[in-house]
Amino acid sequence: MERKRVKELLHTDEQFAGIKIQGWVRSKRESKTFSFLEVNDGSCLKNLQVIADETIETYEALKDVNTGASVEIEGDLVESPGKGQKWELKATSVKMVGYADPETYPLQKKRHTDEFLRQISHLRPRSNKYSAIFRLRSEASFAVHQFFREIGFFYVHTPIVTGSDCEGAGQMFRVTTMEDTTKPAAEDFFGKAAYLTVSGQLNVENYACSLGNVYTFGPTFRAENSNTPRHAAEFWMIEPEVAFADIHDNMSLAEDFVKYLIQFLMDNCREDLELFFNFVDKGLEEKLKHVLASDFARIEYREAIKILEASGEKFEYPVSFGVDMQTEHERYLAEQYFKKPVFVYNYPKTIKPFYMRQNDDGETVAAMDLLLPHVGELVGGSQREDRLDVLEAAIEKMGLDMEEYWWYAELRKYGSVPHSGFGLGFERFLMFVTGVSNIRDVIPFARTPKNLDF
Ligand code: 4AD
Ligand code: MG
């Protein structure tokens, strides 16, 4: 008997006879002579209603079926006389595949807090909200590849294990096979110190300077000890890199990309998104439409600081030229002042990594951040320093080891080109489109300080 997914059955016009579904029971109602089951198989938000009459031979099997149990049900798809659904499955045979103890199964009908569900990260994708998040996450990943493929970019798999610190911020996890980490790194597996990458950028730049337009999309790791709702120790980042592109081209690409992803989800994932429109943030749909309809603002860092200074807001962290903006500043600019996404660019060089292209003013670099209402910084990028002497001086000035970056520097030696790229935090994007306020809730198994369960 052919297995059908619930999604297909709910959207069909055909009265299928003799089919099979497999899934998990969300609820069971019994009357004297028949039972109703709500079965969800993960293919979509909605459940398929199953009606089983006591006259079917396998009816007894339903006795032990409770919320959470897995079942296999054969039957015919018939028009439902009840309200709320077009179709239901009239069972001809029911089978319990796996029992779920009603005394201990944690996902009973009542609504749970996000905090509680985090403690059962292994089961939360069986709830409506989390199944929707993770289907959206999957669709958004697909949209990332489709966007770049449509505009002729190639996908590069940059390494996870690295010997160099891209961001130069020293927030890296060490990778080692040594029990005794006080031994010299020369004795370690790679013959030198190795780390989990904080960004694929340095490697992907090499490919931009050969394949032209590229991107990488993979996990990145940061050992920053900040327990915020916006930071994870392991997160996914999308990093395009474009040869012959300056900082303005870079901002245009980021704007197109963000809009494409939102539009893709609006067009293809309506049912899952509606859960967030209805239950997480009533204004969310309007916010997303507003982003799609706006031209993102672009403002130099210098101007942004003036706006913040003149705002009359009482910020926890004071602002002046030279400070790194905090989330409160970023959100003020995006939410209160511009009321739309805003690019801030040309940051002071003292607060940015070595690889950013230095501007002629001697004070700033061609960096850009995209700030969004609700999440703050979504994208960070720059035009890259393409002049060998300037790059070498910057590496030295920041106290980094030139020997680790010789291969990166050589791009500037042989056919150097102006090039630019950025990193978009995939979880931050998902937070924005769902209105979910904690990064731990948009990644299947969150890795944060003092938390490595699951
Ligand atoms: O601004 P970041 O640090 O930029 C880079 O890593 C560049 N090398 C990217 C590039 O130019 N190719 O990080 C980029 C984005 C941030 O804007 C943010 O959205 C996200 O990555 N991000 C984090 N997301 C979750 N948890 C963290 N700890 C994050 N750190 C950065
Ligand atoms: Mg940044």
Side-chain angles (χ1 to χ4, degrees), residues 201-202 205-206 209 241-242 245-247 250 349 352-367 381-396 398 402 405 407-421:
Q201 178 198 325
L202 301 189
E205 273 188 52
N206 290 252
C209 296
E241 192 70 34
V242 188
D246 68 13
I247 188 75
N250 205 25
K349 66 177 179 189
K352 290 292 182 187
F354 69 91
Y355 55 70
M356 295 186 173
R357 194 176 198 283
Q358 294 184 33
N359 290 324
D360 293 341
D361 63 10
E363 216 173 20
T364 62
V365 287
S382 73
Q383 185 169 336
R384 317 308 187 187
E385 184 52 73
D386 55 323
R387 298 161 294 188
L388 184 61
D389 53 335
V390 184
L391 179 74
E392 284 177 341
I395 290 177
E396 197 175 322
M398 299 212 183
M402 193 56 211
Y405 298 97
W407 52 278
Y408 180 75
E410 281 209 345
L411 294 182
R412 283 76 184 162
K413 207 162 143 188
Y414 306 118
S416 189
V417 287
H419 61 286
S420 301

